[in-house]
Amino acid sequence: MNRIIFATLLLYAASQTGECITGGKEAVAHSRPYMASLQWNGKHECGGFLISSQWVMSAAHCFQDGRTSGVKAVLGAHSLSDAEDTKQTYEATAVYNHPDFSISNYDNDIALLKLDKPITESDAVNPVTFQRESSSGPKESDVVETAGWGSLNNLGGRPDKLQELSIKVMQQWLCGRGDYYGTKFTSNMLCAADRRKDTCDGDSGGPLLFKDIAVGITSNGGKKCGSSKKPGLYTIISHYTEWIDKTMVQ
């Protein structure tokens, strides 16, 4: 019995230290009213964020392998399981992946979902402003924020309630170094992380925010969340202003 308890404690410690920590905290309920849980068959798979009354932005890689049908966007949620009065659920009538999305390195990892009807705005459901081409984004060492219902550690444990995280933008040249991402890192990406702080599986498609403006989309990272040389990668939204505007008139 003592061996079982000891092994359990070791497993718990592994999930709480070193590279196995994503380092976030529970968000104040409904403090991020733009957050969307994208679900298939009632199960959270990716994040997204509301950018207008009928459009959600997310990551293109969430919709590979023909997963563009049967997607529901749950808005106004804090807990994924509780029956909250604030929740609004919509079907995605169309999913538009960027035509130049590359599965090999996740370049151009951006998607837009059109909801089946306009949302009902409330304190818990409200669009966020996203960065456009003419505006300036975060620079090296600037603190940015992200949120999601993704894994809390590399063991795959998922939270029920929305988590949030503050991290720092890293040097572009460093992320393109051979022992980091090398040539897979492109000018359409930025990387951001902090010691023991990172996004993880299930956070994909969520927003990266700078001064309350969405500047990036949670895209990809290393096989281990929190790995020092494989920080989280984020798609730079301002590089896609023309494509976004063109898509949203459909």
Side-chain angles (χ1 to χ4, degrees), residues 16 20-27 146-148 150-153 159 161-167 194-200 203:
Q16 299 296 312
C20 294
I21 280 190
T22 48
K25 64 178 182 179
E26 183 179 337
T146 186
S151 298
L152 296 171
N153 51 54
K161 295 178 172 64
L162 182 68
Q163 305 291 302
E164 62 184 11
L165 182 70
S166 293
I167 47 182
D194 238 325
R195 188 168 182 266
R196 298 181 179 179
K197 292 184 177 183
D198 195 7
T199 43
C200 204
D203 289 321

Side-chain angles (χ1 to χ4, degrees), residues 207-220:
L208 187 72
L209 300 120
F210 180 59
K211 297 180 179 179
D212 297 322
I213 294 174
V215 297
I217 303 165
T218 303
S219 174
N220 195 16

Side-chain angles (χ1 to χ4, degrees), residues 4-17:
I4 294 173
I5 294 172
F6 181 68
T8 302
L9 289 172
L10 278 180
L11 188 61
Y12 176 79
S15 72
Q16 299 296 312
T17 58

Side-chain angles (χ1 to χ4, degrees), residues 28-39 48-50 56 73-90 115 119-127 149 160 162:
V28 173
H30 313 299
S31 60
R32 299 182 181 275
Y34 42 80
M35 289 298 300
S37 167
L38 302 185
Q39 303 183 359
F49 49 103
L50 191 67
V56 167
V74 179
L75 305 170
H78 180 61
S79 164
L80 292 177
S81 63
D82 292 349
E84 299 167 320
D85 292 339
T86 53
K87 283 183 181 175
Q88 299 179 31
T89 301
Y90 298 88
L115 307 181
I119 57 101
T120 301
E121 285 198 15
S122 68
D123 289 342
V125 179
N126 227 307
W149 290 273
D160 178 62
L162 182 68

Side-chain angles (χ1 to χ4, degrees), residues 55-56 68 91-97 112-116 250:
W55 289 89
V56 167
T68 56
E91 292 185 11
T93 57
V95 177
Y96 299 93
N97 283 346
L112 289 169
L113 288 74
K114 187 172 186 180
L115 307 181
D116 57 344
Q250 300 186 63

Side-chain angles (χ1 to χ4, degrees), residues 110-180:
I110 179 172
L112 289 169
L113 288 74
K114 187 172 186 180
L115 307 181
D116 57 344
K117 58 185 177 183
I119 57 101
T120 301
E121 285 198 15
S122 68
D123 289 342
V125 179
N126 227 307
V128 67
T129 301
F130 64 89
Q131 184 192 10
R132 301 186 70 83
E133 192 172 10
S134 58
S135 58
S136 59
K139 297 180 172 53
E140 176 194 331
S141 297
D142 279 341
V143 176
V144 287
E145 298 178 347
T146 186
W149 290 273
S151 298
L152 296 171
N153 51 54
N154 288 304
L155 301 176
R158 291 279 185 93
D160 178 62
K161 295 178 172 64
L162 182 68
Q163 305 291 302
E164 62 184 11
L165 182 70
S166 293
I167 47 182
K168 288 182 180 178
V169 175
M170 298 177 64
Q171 297 167 311
Q172 294 289 90
W173 67 265
L174 184 62
C175 293
R177 212 169 70 178
D179 56 339
Y180 279 68

